[in-house]
Amino acid sequence: MIERVAACLENGGKHVLQRISKQPFRTRRSLHFAFWSHGAGNIDLPSWWLAFLEAPSSCNQTWSSTESTFNTPRALPDGFGLLDFLYPGETLAFIRKFVNGNTSTIRRRRRSQLLSQRLRTYTSAADSFVDLPPSQKDAAQGDSLEDKAGDDKNSNQLDAEAESALYTKFRRLLRADGQPRNGEELWKTYRETQRTSLSLDPEDVTLLFKRLSTSKTPFDLECTRILLNDTPLPNRNALHYDHAISAALELGDLGGAMNLHREATRRIRYLQGSSMILKCAVQHSKWGYAEEIWKYHLDKKLAHVAQPDIWAGVNSMPTTELMMKAVKAVDCAIRRAETSTFDDAEIMRSLAISLVQRALSTRTIEFSVTSQLRMLRNSRRILQPDVTLYQAAVLQNISVGRQSSKHSNIALKLYREIRGKLNLVPDLELLRAMLKRFSALRDSQGMYEVLEDYRKYHEAPPMEAYPLLMAQLARHGDFDTVEELFRDFIARYGSGEIQNHARTLLFACLRRAEADRANNVLQSLREAYGYEPDLEAWNILIAIYARVGDYDGATAIFDKLMATNVTPENSTYGILMGMFAKRSDPDTTSALYEQALSTGIKPNVAMVDSLVLALITSDRFDEAYRIVQEAMTMDLDEAKRQPRYIAEDITRTRMWNTLLSHCAMNRRLDKVAEIQKRMQEAGVPFDNITYAALMLSLCLKNMPGAALRIKNVIMRSHGIRPTTLHYSILMGGFMQTKEPNKVLLLANEMLENKISPTFSSQNQLLRVASKIDEQEDDQANPDGEPFQARRAEAVMRQALETLNPMELAALGPTQRAQSNPVNVAFYSSYFSYMIYLYGKKHSFARVVDLYDEYISTARRVHGGVEGIAPVELLSALMVTHFNAGEHAETEKCWQLAMEKSEKFARKVDADTSQPGWVLYKYRFILSLPLTRYMQSLQAMSRIDDIATTVDYLRHAGYQLSVHNWNKYTQILAQEGRALLAFEICEKHLIQGWPGWEHFGNPIRAKAKIKKQWNPKSLDRGRPFPHYETLVYLARAYLDAKSLPYGTGTRTLQDLERLAPRTMEAVLKMPKFDDGIQNDVLRRSE
């Protein structure tokens, strides 16, 4: 639409009204949609629009705040050219009435500019601004007055029915929900009701305030403030002011909100808007406004006037943002202290402190620990270190620390700062929270700190703290402290909780692997309090005996349980089955499983896992694999909480881990990959033992670098923290590849990550140190001076200095324990290796000293020496005695080893006079000392005793390793028993012989032969003759060939008949210019 205009009605056109345009110009205008339907009364116009209807002299008048008033009526200005052809008659009448009417109506209508989505835009052009002649001005003014009178009469006179319908429509819109553009239509209807004789219900007015102030559109928010101005001052209540303040804050008018607040506080005592203004002031760092609100709150508080929660708004702020604002408030308080009066500075200081306290009061919400620490540090500048602030910070971190280790670490740091550097007194609430946190983290050091604070500041722990303290310290094996707490609790609170405390005392014995002490505890509790064990106590007792390897004791406890009124459950059978499964006794394990099913007990995961373990250790892999796959669909009883007397979590994952470990130990990498893939397909989660098995398989294949990547990359990406077991596996891998420096780096990494070393990792370090000592001795000690393993002994001394049975409480799966009970292996393993090392180096005096030291250590730690020397230690002593030529002592050690092995290897209720009484798992337990014993018998020329010993061992169920068979064959060949030597080799060794052609170049054949057998594998190597064995057999063949014609011929024929493959290997053996062939084959007759 093209027209001549004096100015545009949009923002930015007011200055055009004050000049006469000389040139045509084009501008864009925006008009309300209602204008096009000739509803000019619906138009909300900007504040400067009044100037368009005023005389030019009034154009420069400015609009102030909502308190501005206009006291004189206005008429259409002289000389104003109204484009009456553009406006309908009703619209012209409304304009004239509006201009000459009450100016408060004008003021209320200028509140909001129209939103772009509610506007229609068109373009107009005008080429000049034309003043009307005076006569036309007068005529126009007269017409306006007449039209005004007529239109007023028509528009303001509505009948009662129309008014009622209008009010009904208003109430319907007011209570409607979610209608499109409802706010605008509601406001239009409200304005129409104001032109009627009806008066609105105060409840409707309040609801209208709520509807408009809770809207997010600027139009509705502006209407909220207009509505407040429409409401007479005496009728305005607290809710009206609250809604108006909320609308002002939504529009970003903090100053306007403060003006409303000041007006409200002069008339109203209870105002919700204070919290909204305080929140906005804090968010925008308007500390002057925040101080004013805070002072008003303090004044009302001093006057004992009830007030709403002033922090309601601030509490809704994000915690990290609130902390940052609290830091700024503290900085402002510091500045005020330097520049303002004491009273003003104190108000800002109290506000800043309150903000800090409020920021620390939030719980279970993620926040920035950096912001929290900065806030605490800055608060010290306006407040002396206060235990309440630090306690709040600790509790806040603890509330988040369950999901975040970062927050948990900060909580521990702040707690230790409270009790250390700040020297503050922690209250009971803080100690209770820290006790629960340390308990969840299983942090024994933290438990001791809390216990110390309880005793130092509060005389003793409260009643509810004793169970947590005792349970966690028992988990860490501190029996003495647990017993002390038990006696203290009984003295203070009586014996009402004797059942729980008895289980805790027995649990401490379990963690220390001390069966005798457990029996003493049980006896004393019976005598003092008439205590009778419940099922959990019986289970703990059985688990103690199982852990120390006393299977007779465990079955005796089970028999006592069956004689009582206590009924065993699947957890009881799970412990027993696990014990026999570790002994490689699948028959007894299966019998217990069937017994449990026959009594109606539902099997649990631990019972099925024991079946798998028993089959695996009996080398029945296919059966175990089948059970594991079937278990994925079995309805097993899976406890939500693992019993505390179970050292490890027993889940379905553990069954798969057993398969993986078996395949890894046997170097079956193809099976390892297959099982891993099957686990992923079945949705079985990997745990730290799963990754340990994968790492072990790689290390056994001389690939420790790949195993290290599993720890550093894969485990880290899955959030699994490496344990001592993983480090021990890696150390052994790098030892095997002869990279001792990397072993030392791993040990340092453990210390940096605060992973406490156990005897598994310490034994690896011991071996690294000994290798370095041996290398230095070979280079720097050519004169044969006594060997000194200084580094190895330093490692052993460091381990022994901290030796404590409490170390056993932290042990999960371990290496180097071998067949020994864990309560013996954790210290005997050091001595076994050192005795072996010095014995190999012929340092016999040092061996004697170490053995004496072992005995004293056993007395100190284990409480006695009878029967505690493990087979590995006896084997090491045999090496020493044999090298020293002390064959009688060697034989004595062999007899002790036989007695020790019988205890571990005997099947349940087996008769040792009958064949096959040795458990499958322990079939190789005597293979290591047997080699030395055979050598000792050879030195004493007791060859027949060797054969007798071998026959006895095989009759009992023991098996000889490949190394044993090779040594036995070599001895027979050396002692002129060629026929038996060839027969033994043919029967027990030659099956795995591929022929000399298999090795290619004869020069490299010897090295390749050595790689064909592995004495460390589970089956102690596949049948395979060693190079030295073939050399000695060749010597025996030459000796037989040199016999007289008749005897020699028969011997050679017998060899060909009894050992054809062995003969072929001997005859085709290449000649090597090496020491053994030169010494054995080419020696003079």
Side-chain angles (χ1 to χ4, degrees):
M1 182 188 299
I2 305 299
E3 59 170 322
R4 294 178 181 274
V5 296
C8 65
L9 296 180
E10 63 182 351
N11 227 358
K14 182 170 67 173
H15 66 284
V16 181
L17 300 175
Q18 303 174 13
R19 68 178 179 88
I20 297 177
S21 176
K22 300 295 185 181
Q23 300 293 334
F25 67 94
R26 184 175 297 272
T27 182
R28 182 168 293 278
R29 300 177 56 190
S30 298
L31 297 179
H32 197 279
F33 75 95
F35 176 83
W36 300 96
S37 61
H38 307 303
N42 297 326
I43 303 176
D44 292 305
L45 300 171
S47 59
W48 55 263
W49 182 73
L50 184 62
F52 181 68
L53 302 178
E54 292 178 343
S57 60
S58 63
C59 287
N60 292 327
Q61 182 176 356
T62 59
W63 288 77
S64 60
S65 65
T66 55
E67 290 78 13
S68 301
T69 59
F70 294 87
N71 298 321
T72 58
R74 296 166 179 79
L76 286 174
D78 293 337
F80 178 74
L82 185 64
L83 304 179
D84 50 2
F85 67 88
L86 180 61
Y87 303 95
E90 182 182 350
T91 303
L92 289 171
F94 171 75
I95 293 175
R96 294 187 181 96
K97 182 195 75 167
F98 190 86
V99 173
N100 295 304
N102 190 338
T103 55
S104 63
T105 303
I106 302 172
R107 187 171 65 251
R108 289 195 299 271
R109 285 196 165 274
R110 70 173 184 81
R111 297 297 180 184
S112 177
Q113 296 192 13
L114 302 178
L115 300 177
S116 59
Q117 63 266 29
R118 298 195 182 101
L119 304 179
R120 290 182 60 182
T121 305
Y122 66 92
T123 303
S124 63
D127 51 11
S128 65
F129 184 93
V130 182
D131 283 342
L132 294 176
S135 60
Q136 293 185 21
K137 292 179 183 178
D138 294 339
Q141 188 172 7
D143 292 340
S144 298
L145 293 174
E146 291 175 4
D147 291 340
K148 173 184 178 300
D151 291 335
D152 285 346
K153 181 177 180 179
N154 294 331
S155 60
N156 292 330
Q157 291 179 358
L158 297 174
D159 55 24
E161 183 178 351
E163 290 180 350
S164 176
L166 182 63
Y167 192 55
T168 302
K169 178 183 178 182
F170 169 71
R171 291 174 62 88
R172 176 175 57 79
L173 292 173
L174 185 62
R175 288 166 173 78
D177 293 327
Q179 295 185 13
R181 309 178 68 87
N182 187 45
E184 186 175 321
E185 187 176 359
L186 175 63
W187 181 251
K188 170 186 173 182
T189 307
Y190 163 72
R191 302 305 288 175
E192 289 176 356
T193 59
Q194 282 193 307
R195 294 198 293 271
T196 67
S197 60
L198 299 174
S199 59
L200 298 181
D201 190 317
E203 182 180 351
D204 291 338
V205 175
T206 302
L207 185 56
L208 181 59
F209 266 109
K210 181 179 179 180
R211 287 291 301 273
L212 295 174
S213 65
T214 55
S215 173
K216 298 300 181 182
T217 62
F219 177 85
D220 293 341
L221 297 173
E222 285 284 359
C223 290
T224 305
R225 298 206 291 185
I226 298 172
L227 181 60
L228 182 66
N229 290 333
D230 284 349
T231 305
L233 188 63
N235 295 343
R236 300 175 186 175
N237 59 32
L239 290 177
H240 298 167
Y241 281 111
D242 288 337
H243 291 308
I245 290 174
S246 176
L249 293 176
E250 283 289 339
L251 290 170
D253 187 6
L254 180 57
M258 281 300 303
N259 289 335
L260 292 173
H261 184 271
R262 295 185 189 108
E263 178 185 325
T265 53
R266 289 194 293 267
R267 304 181 53 253
I268 299 171
R269 301 178 63 183
Y270 194 89
L271 193 66
Q272 294 279 358
S274 301
S275 65
M276 293 184 285
I277 295 178
L278 181 61
K279 174 186 176 182
C280 186
V282 170
Q283 283 180 319
H284 296 86
S285 301
K286 301 295 184 182
W287 302 116
Y289 291 140
E291 279 185 281
E292 185 177 343
I293 296 295
W294 182 245
K295 185 176 184 303
Y296 164 76
H297 171 74
L298 294 179
D299 291 342
K300 293 295 183 182
K301 188 175 181 180
L302 290 175
H304 301 289
V305 177
Q307 290 290 299
D309 183 11
I310 197 173
W311 298 109
V314 173
N315 288 343
S316 65
M317 295 174 58
T319 304
T320 299
E321 179 187 1
L322 182 55
M323 288 179 177
M324 295 173 62
K325 297 302 179 183
V327 171
K328 293 184 178 181
V330 171
D331 294 339
C332 181
I334 295 171
R335 293 193 299 271
R336 291 290 173 86
E338 298 172 352
T339 60
S340 303
T341 63
F342 175 79
D343 292 339
D344 292 341
E346 186 61 25
I347 291 174
M348 188 61 211
R349 176 180 173 274
S350 65
L351 173 62
I353 293 174
S354 299
L355 278 175
V356 172
Q357 293 171 338
R358 187 60 48 179
L360 294 173
S361 66
T362 57
R363 297 289 183 269
T364 65
I365 300 175
E366 186 73 21
F367 61 89
S368 168
V369 294
T370 304
S371 299
Q372 187 199 57
L373 295 177
R374 181 184 175 192
M375 181 178 62
L376 286 173
R377 183 175 61 251
N378 286 16
S379 64
R380 295 183 188 177
R381 301 172 64 184
I382 60 173
L383 179 69
Q384 289 296 324
D386 185 6
V387 69
T388 58
L389 286 182
Y390 277 84
Q391 287 184 167
V394 172
L395 296 175
Q396 186 179 51
N397 279 289
I398 288 177
S399 67
V400 184
R402 296 179 181 88
Q403 295 83 30
S404 170
S405 60
K406 175 176 60 178
H407 290 86
S408 180
N409 293 335
I410 293 297
L412 305 184
K413 176 182 177 182
L414 290 174
Y415 169 69
R416 286 170 175 141
E417 189 173 350
I418 289 174
R419 66 190 306 272
K421 183 170 63 176
L422 298 178
N423 197 24
L424 300 174
V425 179
D427 64 10
L428 290 174
E429 180 186 5
L430 175 62
L431 292 178
R432 186 182 304 109
M434 294 307 303
L435 180 62
K436 292 180 179 179
R437 190 65 199 142
F438 285 131
S439 176
L441 296 173
R442 297 183 179 180
D443 186 340
S444 59
Q445 180 60 36
M447 302 296 287
Y448 288 118
E449 292 174 0
V450 171
L451 178 59
E452 180 184 350
D453 287 346
Y454 270 131
R455 290 172 171 173
K456 182 177 180 181
Y457 299 113
H458 305 284
E459 187 180 358
M463 182 177 181
E464 66 274 10
Y466 278 90
L468 270 179
L469 284 167
M470 293 174 65
Q472 293 306 316
L473 294 179
R475 182 177 296 279
H476 289 275
D478 189 357
F479 180 85
D480 296 334
T481 305
V482 172
E483 186 178 33
E484 180 184 352
L485 287 170
F486 166 71
R487 299 189 184 283
D488 188 29
F489 182 90
I490 294 295
R492 291 176 181 273
Y493 305 108
S495 59
E497 298 291 330
I498 189 65
Q499 283 287 350
N500 291 332
H501 295 324
R503 290 194 294 265
T504 303
L505 288 168
L506 293 174
F507 180 58
C509 297
L510 169 64
R511 300 294 284 181
R512 295 170 64 95
E514 295 179 338
D516 293 338
R517 176 171 282 183
N519 284 324
N520 295 336
V521 167
L522 185 61
Q523 184 64 29
S524 63
L525 291 176
R526 280 174 171 166
E527 294 175 356
Y529 310 105
Y531 168 74
E532 289 298 330
D534 57 6
L535 178 60
E536 185 175 347
W538 284 114
N539 288 345
I540 294 174
L541 285 169
I542 294 172
I544 293 174
Y545 282 97
R547 194 175 189 206
V548 301
D550 189 349
Y551 308 108
D552 294 334
T555 53
I557 295 294
F558 180 71
D559 292 339
K560 291 181 181 179
L561 165 63
M562 298 299 291
T564 65
N565 295 328
V566 180
T567 303
E569 296 180 354
N570 51 21
S571 57
T572 311
Y573 282 97
I575 297 171
L576 283 170
M577 291 176 63
M579 174 183 69
F580 288 106
K582 291 176 182 178
R583 298 187 74 221
S584 185
D585 191 349
D587 297 334
T588 306
T589 306
S590 299
L592 286 169
Y593 185 79
E594 296 298 332
Q595 180 181 343
L597 295 182
S598 65
T599 58
I601 292 177
K602 182 179 181 180
N604 60 8
V605 177
M607 295 171 64
V608 179
D609 179 74
S610 299
L611 288 175
V612 174
L613 180 61
L615 292 171
I616 283 291
T617 54
S618 301
D619 205 19
R620 293 157 65 179
F621 176 81
D622 293 336
E623 295 179 57
Y625 197 7
R626 177 180 54 80
I627 291 178
V628 169
Q629 292 177 313
E630 292 175 355
M632 298 304 297
T633 58
M634 293 174 62
D635 182 19
L636 301 178
D637 184 16
E638 299 187 68
K640 294 182 179 179
R641 185 177 65 87
Q642 195 73 26
R644 61 179 178 175
Y645 47 82
I646 302 298
E648 321 170 42
D649 291 338
I650 299 179
T651 63
R652 295 176 195 260
T653 302
R654 180 172 166 175
M655 305 178 195
W656 293 92
N657 291 342
T658 305
L659 298 176
L660 280 175
S661 300
H662 174 80
C663 295
M665 291 296 295
N666 285 276
R667 291 172 169 80
R668 298 175 63 182
L669 291 187
D670 55 336
K671 269 295 182 183
V672 171
E674 177 187 334
I675 294 172
Q676 180 186 4
K677 181 180 179 181
R678 182 72 182 89
M679 290 177 68
Q680 293 174 335
E681 293 173 350
V684 179
F686 287 16
D687 60 12
N688 58 349
I689 304 299
T690 309
Y691 290 110
L694 296 175
M695 292 166 62
L696 178 61
S697 64
L698 293 172
C699 287
L700 291 176
K701 279 291 185 178
N702 291 333
M703 299 169 62
L708 183 62
R709 285 193 291 273
I710 290 180
K711 178 187 78 72
N712 292 339
V713 180
I714 300 178
M715 291 178 61
R716 182 178 300 174
S717 65
H718 288 80
I720 298 179
R721 189 169 184 260
T723 64
T724 308
L725 176 62
H726 301 97
Y727 281 99
S728 299
I729 291 172
L730 288 172
M731 288 178 178
F734 284 116
M735 278 290 296
Q736 189 169 326
T737 57
K738 299 180 180 180
E739 297 178 90
N741 291 334
K742 292 186 178 181
V743 177
L744 299 178
L745 290 175
L746 286 170
N748 292 333
E749 184 180 323
M750 284 180 61
L751 298 177
E752 292 173 359
N753 294 335
K754 299 181 180 179
I755 299 176
S756 300
T758 61
F759 78 87
S760 296
S761 60
Q762 291 285 64
N763 268 281
Q764 298 289 10
L765 288 176
L766 183 68
R767 283 153 175 76
V768 171
S770 67
K771 293 297 182 185
I772 298 175
D773 288 333
E774 288 187 87
Q775 291 175 2
E776 291 183 353
D777 181 70
D778 293 340
Q779 296 173 0
N781 189 19
D783 299 331
E785 295 181 2
F787 171 68
Q788 291 291 328
R790 294 183 178 85
R791 288 182 174 83
E793 287 207 35
V795 172
M796 187 182 76
R797 296 284 167 238
Q798 183 180 4
L800 293 177
E801 285 175 2
T802 58
L803 197 62
N804 193 304
M806 288 174 60
E807 179 185 344
L808 298 178
L811 292 182
T814 57
Q815 295 180 321
R816 304 293 178 188
Q818 299 180 5
S819 61
N820 302 308
V822 68
N823 61 326
V824 176
F826 87 106
Y827 61 88
S828 67
S829 56
Y830 303 115
F831 291 98
S832 297
Y833 183 77
M834 292 302 296
I835 288 175
Y836 163 76
L837 179 64
Y838 278 112
K840 184 176 67 172
K841 291 289 186 177
H842 301 276
S843 297
F844 306 122
R846 188 71 190 114
V847 169
V848 174
D849 294 340
L850 284 172
Y851 186 74
D852 292 340
E853 187 177 353
Y854 165 77
I855 296 298
S856 62
T857 303
R859 288 195 177 111
R860 173 170 62 88
V861 176
H862 195 66
V865 296
E866 183 179 358
I868 61 173
V871 174
E872 288 73 19
L873 179 61
L874 293 171
S875 179
L877 285 172
M878 290 178 68
V879 172
T880 301
H881 292 310
F882 173 76
N883 290 337
E886 300 170 348
H887 301 298
E889 296 297 324
T890 303
E891 187 168 12
K892 187 183 297 184
C893 289
W894 168 254
Q895 296 299 330
L896 289 174
M898 291 276 288
E899 294 176 9
K900 291 289 295 182
S901 63
E902 181 178 330
K903 178 180 179 181
F904 293 109
R906 182 172 57 86
K907 294 180 181 178
V908 177
D909 299 329
D911 185 359
T912 56
S913 63
Q914 299 298 320
W917 54 265
V918 174
L919 288 167
Y920 184 82
K921 178 180 179 180
Y922 296 97
R923 64 195 185 279
F924 291 113
I925 191 174
L926 290 174
S927 61
L928 190 61
L930 177 61
T931 299
R932 299 302 177 189
Y933 183 55
M934 289 191 297
Q935 289 177 309
S936 180
L937 290 176
Q938 181 189 11
M940 294 186 290
S941 300
R942 293 167 54 184
I943 308 304
D944 293 337
D945 289 343
I946 297 178
T948 302
T949 301
V950 170
D951 291 341
Y952 168 77
L953 294 177
R954 298 188 65 199
H955 177 268
Y958 295 105
Q959 290 187 20
L960 276 65
S961 67
V962 173
H963 186 65
N964 294 144
W965 285 118
N966 274 280
K967 183 58 67 175
Y968 186 28
T969 303
Q970 292 171 24
I971 292 173
L972 292 174
Q974 287 175 303
E975 298 299 328
R977 306 199 179 188
L979 192 61
L980 182 58
F982 272 82
E983 185 179 358
I984 292 295
C985 182
E986 186 75 17
K987 187 175 181 179
H988 298 287
L989 295 176
I990 205 65
Q991 295 92 330
W993 179 252
W996 288 102
E997 299 81 3
H998 172 77
F999 301 107
N1001 189 345
I1003 298 177
R1004 300 180 180 179
K1006 291 190 298 180
K1008 291 181 179 181
I1009 291 176
K1010 291 182 180 180
K1011 291 182 179 180
Q1012 295 297 313
W1013 65 285
N1014 177 30
K1016 296 182 180 179
S1017 63
L1018 290 180
D1019 60 357
R1020 297 303 188 268
R1022 64 187 180 91
F1024 198 88
H1026 197 222
Y1027 170 65
E1028 285 82 359
T1029 303
L1030 295 176
V1031 172
Y1032 282 111
L1033 288 173
R1035 177 71 265 174
Y1037 171 79
L1038 293 176
D1039 292 340
K1041 189 176 181 180
S1042 63
L1043 291 174
Y1045 176 75
T1047 305
T1049 302
R1050 287 193 299 272
T1051 302
L1052 294 177
Q1053 290 175 348
D1054 290 339
L1055 292 180
E1056 288 284 355
R1057 177 176 54 83
L1058 295 174
R1061 294 189 62 191
T1062 303
M1063 281 289 292
E1064 181 183 3
V1066 170
L1067 294 174
K1068 290 184 177 182
M1069 182 176 63
K1071 293 183 179 180
F1072 301 110
D1073 187 15
D1074 59 9
I1076 185 170
Q1077 285 203 18
N1078 290 334
D1079 293 340
V1080 176
L1081 297 182
R1082 299 172 187 173
R1083 64 192 178 193
S1084 59
E1085 293 296 332

